[in-house]
Every structure is written in C-alpha cells, then in structure tokens.
Amino acid sequence: MRTFRSRTRTPRIAGERRMLVAMAVDATGSGMYVPFSLVFFHHVTGLPFATVGLVLTVVGLLGLGALPIAGAAVDRHGARRVQLFLYGVRGAGFLLYPFAHALPAFAGVALATAFGDRAFPAVQQSLLGEVAKGADRDRLQASSRALRNGGLGAGSLLASLVVGFGGDAGFTAAAWLNAASFALAALLMRGVRAERQTPVADEIQQPAGYRQVFADRPFLGLTAVNFLNALGYSALSVLFPLYITTWLRGPQALTGIAFTLNTVMCAAGGVAIAARVRSRGARRTRSAALGSLLFAAAFAAQIVLGTVRPGSGIVLGGALLAIVVLYTLGELVHSPAAGALSVSAAPEALRGRYLAAYQLSWSLAAAVAPSLFTALMTVDGRLPWGVLAGTSLVAAGVVVRLERRLPGPAVAVAGRAARIAVA
C-alpha cells in the first residue's frame, strides 16, 4: 500500500476528491426527499399523512439506538467499513419503500433506514478524524458542510423536476435515484483507504468503552455545549416558518427565500470563510464561541424585529434576510471549528464511541426543538428567540472555559498531517 500526496498548488490529502464527490452525491440523493419528507413518503407508500408522520417520529426516536452500536463498530472495524455498511442499509431502504404499502412493511423499512440515517453523521465524522489531521480536519469539515447544503439544494430541484414530469411515478423514481446515489457514493468510498493508528495502551484507560466516554467530563461538557448550539441550528427549519407566518404575519414565500439564501451562502462561502478563520490562527474553541455569539446576535435581532413588526413588506423582508445572513455567518464560523474540535478531542482508540455520544446532542435537539419552540410561541413570539439567544451566549462562555481542560492539540489547529492511502 502506498501513500500519495497531491502536488497541486493547494495541498490536498490523497483520495480527497473521491471522498468529496461521494459526499456531494450522497447529499444530492438526500435532497430528493428531505425537504418534503412527509409528502414524499405519503406518495411512495400510499399511506395517510398522519400514519406516515407517526411512523417517522417513532422510528426516528428508536433510531437513536443505532448510535452506540455504530460507535462501537467504528472502534472495532474502522469508520470506512461501517460507512459502507450504512450506505447499503440506506440504499436498500429506499429501494424497498415503493413496495412498502402495508403499515408493518413501511414501519420495518423505515426503522432500518432510520438506524442508518441516525448513525451515519457520527460515522462520517469518525472517518474525517481517521483521514485528516490538524488544519485539514477544519478544511474538510467546511467542505463537507458546503457540499451538504449544495447537494440538498440540487437534489430538491432535481426531485421537483422528476415529480413534475412523472407525477406520482416521479416519487418512486426519486426513491430509486436516492438509492442509486448511496450505491454510487459507496463505490467511490471503496477506493479510499484510511490509515488508522494503532492504539497506544495508555490511550484506553479503565474503565474503557462507553464508561470511559461518560467519565470524560470535558468531552461531556463539549457535548452539552453542542446541544445548546444545535437548538439554534434547528431554528431555520422549525421556528422561522412559524414565526414569519404567525407573529410577523409575513408571506409564506419568505420562508423559502430565507432557506434558499442560507443554503446558497453555505454552499458558496463555507470553505472560504472557514479558511479565513483558520488563517487568523484562532483556536477552535474561540472560533466556535465566535459562531455562537453571531447566533446570539441574530436571535436578538429577531426579538427587535418582532417588537417593531414593520408593516411594510419590503422592510420586513429586507430585515429578515439581513438576519438570515448574520445567522448563516454564525453557522459558517461555528460549524467547521466545532466539528473539528469534537473529532480531535476524542481519543483515537474510542473515537467512534465518543462521536456517537456527541451526535446524540444533535439528535436530541432535533427531537426537542419542535415542541419547545411551539410551546414558547404560544406565550410570546419573541420568547423562543430570547431563549435561543441565551443558550448561544451560555454555549460561547462554556466552550471557552473548557479550553484549558480539553486536549491541547484539539484546541489549537496544528499543521497538516493527514494520511489517506488509495489502493
């Protein structure tokens, strides 16, 4: 096995292009159903909306059980092998959805697919930890998020065209195209070989396994901080539409425009802004804290807008889009630094378990956000933004305080030392 290094002017780790193309293909396939999942599964299976929604909620919660299993599998077999397995599970699920017209069949397929979907982000984060080190981790974090946003937008547009021309049959075609995207992504990833370091005996302290994860208080603090930030990430898809149409009494179209603006900014500017932050030599903790502060400023601006409530549609739309720009800047600054920080703070030997625990903060926030935001909205439309501003400020303060307790190499971005081998 040989290790190749790119000789281009911009240094790249070997196999990076294959990996990034796989991410883009995966995201494009996911974009064909994620933006309208209830409608998608209703048409694919023929089941009522209420049934589809209930099944997706239940299996989504049950799917959280896949995280500890996937984390242990990564530590035993390596992230790449587990990722290829999950591609197979997800692809098989979307191949079978069009045949799952009965409720038990739909629930079974949905549960298997949910296991794959819930575990996949933690496994991919573990893979980034295996293939890249130092500043390369931050760069790949930014690239993966940019490709994720761009792919979701492209997939959504492609699905609209397929459904527009094919009608109900178009939903079936979209399901199979998504399955094909997982197969293609897996094929691309088969050519990537990650070099896993042999664990040093001292790295696995007793008690090992998940007990060691739960005994690592600084990492648990980092996970709790991410839960606070993850609530803010849920705001665009969950809180924005409700806030715009009920409290601000704005047009529904503003929701789509806000989502599109966020997606375009993330896809087009994510890598450049992350590179700018890295070039300033900021510690990952400080970069993550800055992103949280930008979130807090955007949420505070929503409170001001919700207090003024301008009657002019032009003023309202312009103010909302300006807030979305500020919010997205926070996302672009925070996401690469926080992701690389979590990967680098996890010990090599137990990285899979550590990142599975970290991923729970994202999943729990996604589960809590709808009920939390709607409950707060019934009291006052500005209240959820006040809560989010507070959680963002707390997250910024706590992550800086954790700086001294986290591993030094995780906090400070080291030079590039990535290793990927291509067979």
Side-chain angles (χ1 to χ4, degrees):
M1 182 182 296
R2 290 184 298 169
T3 300
F4 296 90
R5 290 181 180 272
S6 174
R7 296 182 181 179
T8 57
R9 180 172 300 178
T10 301
R12 289 182 179 275
I13 49 183
E16 179 178 339
R17 284 192 177 88
R18 295 175 70 93
M19 185 168 57
L20 293 179
V21 172
M23 290 179 184
V25 170
D26 179 353
T28 301
S30 297
M32 298 188 74
Y33 79 96
V34 166
F36 39 87
S37 56
L38 281 176
V39 176
F40 178 90
F41 290 115
H42 165 72
H43 282 278
V44 167
T45 64
L47 294 170
F49 282 111
T51 302
V52 171
L54 178 61
V55 169
L56 292 180
T57 298
V58 172
V59 302
L61 292 174
L62 293 176
L64 295 178
L67 280 168
I69 299 172
V74 166
D75 292 333
R76 179 179 293 270
H77 304 291
R80 178 181 159 278
R81 288 185 180 181
V82 179
Q83 186 188 58
L84 292 176
F85 174 75
L86 293 180
Y87 273 137
V89 171
R90 298 162 81 202
F94 278 88
L95 276 177
L96 294 175
Y97 269 129
F99 305 104
H101 300 295
L103 178 59
F106 173 57
V109 174
L111 180 60
T113 309
F115 265 65
D117 285 341
R118 290 294 182 273
F120 191 83
V123 174
Q124 182 156 287
Q125 289 293 305
S126 297
L127 180 64
L128 293 181
E130 289 182 11
V131 302
K133 299 184 184 303
D136 278 336
R137 283 181 180 168
D138 302 71
R139 180 171 57 79
L140 285 180
Q141 289 284 344
S143 297
S144 65
R145 188 157 191 87
L147 289 170
R148 175 72 177 171
N149 281 274
L152 288 175
S156 179
L157 177 59
L158 180 59
S160 298
L161 294 174
V162 171
V163 172
F165 284 106
D168 285 352
F171 285 99
T172 298
W176 287 341
L177 285 171
N178 188 28
S181 75
F182 293 138
L184 178 55
L187 183 62
L188 289 165
M189 288 304 301
R190 281 181 64 86
V192 176
R193 296 289 186 270
E195 289 187 0
R196 302 180 69 207
Q197 294 181 1
T198 302
V200 179
D202 293 340
E203 281 187 314
I204 307 181
Q205 303 171 2
Q206 295 297 328
Y210 279 106
R211 290 176 297 173
Q212 180 173 324
V213 179
F214 295 129
D216 191 336
R217 297 181 66 181
F219 191 86
L220 291 182
L222 195 63
T223 303
V225 165
N226 190 65
F227 172 78
L228 299 179
N229 282 311
L231 289 174
Y233 277 88
S234 299
L236 187 65
S237 59
V238 178
L239 182 54
F240 258 80
L242 184 63
Y243 180 70
I244 290 171
T245 55
T246 59
W247 186 260
L248 295 179
R249 296 184 177 87
Q252 185 73 39
L254 281 176
T255 300
I257 295 172
F259 183 81
T260 301
L261 177 61
N262 172 266
T263 300
V264 170
M265 284 185 64
C266 287
V271 176
I273 290 179
R276 180 76 172 175
V277 172
R278 289 197 310 272
S279 68
R280 296 300 180 94
R283 298 178 180 180
R284 289 184 177 124
T285 46
R286 303 298 172 93
S287 297
L290 175 59
S292 295
L293 292 176
L294 290 172
F295 278 146
F299 300 145
Q302 288 284 27
I303 297 174
V304 174
L305 183 61
T307 301
V308 176
R309 288 204 267 192
S312 169
I314 296 177
V315 174
L316 175 61
L320 271 173
L321 294 182
I323 293 173
V324 170
V325 169
L326 181 60
Y327 170 89
T328 306
L329 287 175
E331 182 177 343
L332 295 177
V333 172
H334 175 270
S335 178
L341 180 62
S342 65
V343 172
S344 302
E348 180 82 22
L350 294 175
R351 182 180 289 133
R353 290 176 172 87
Y354 266 71
L355 294 182
Y358 187 80
Q359 181 62 31
L360 277 174
S361 63
W362 287 106
S363 299
L364 289 176
V368 168
S371 58
L372 174 64
F373 293 158
T374 51
L376 294 173
M377 280 286 294
T378 60
V379 179
D380 190 295
R382 296 162 294 186
L383 185 56
W385 299 113
V387 171
L388 288 175
T391 57
S392 298
L393 290 173
V394 171
V398 172
V399 75
V400 172
R401 293 203 57 164
L402 286 172
E403 198 171 82
R404 295 182 179 179
R405 303 185 61 192
L406 292 168
V411 172
V413 182
R416 54 186 324 275
R419 297 289 186 274
I420 299 182
V422 179

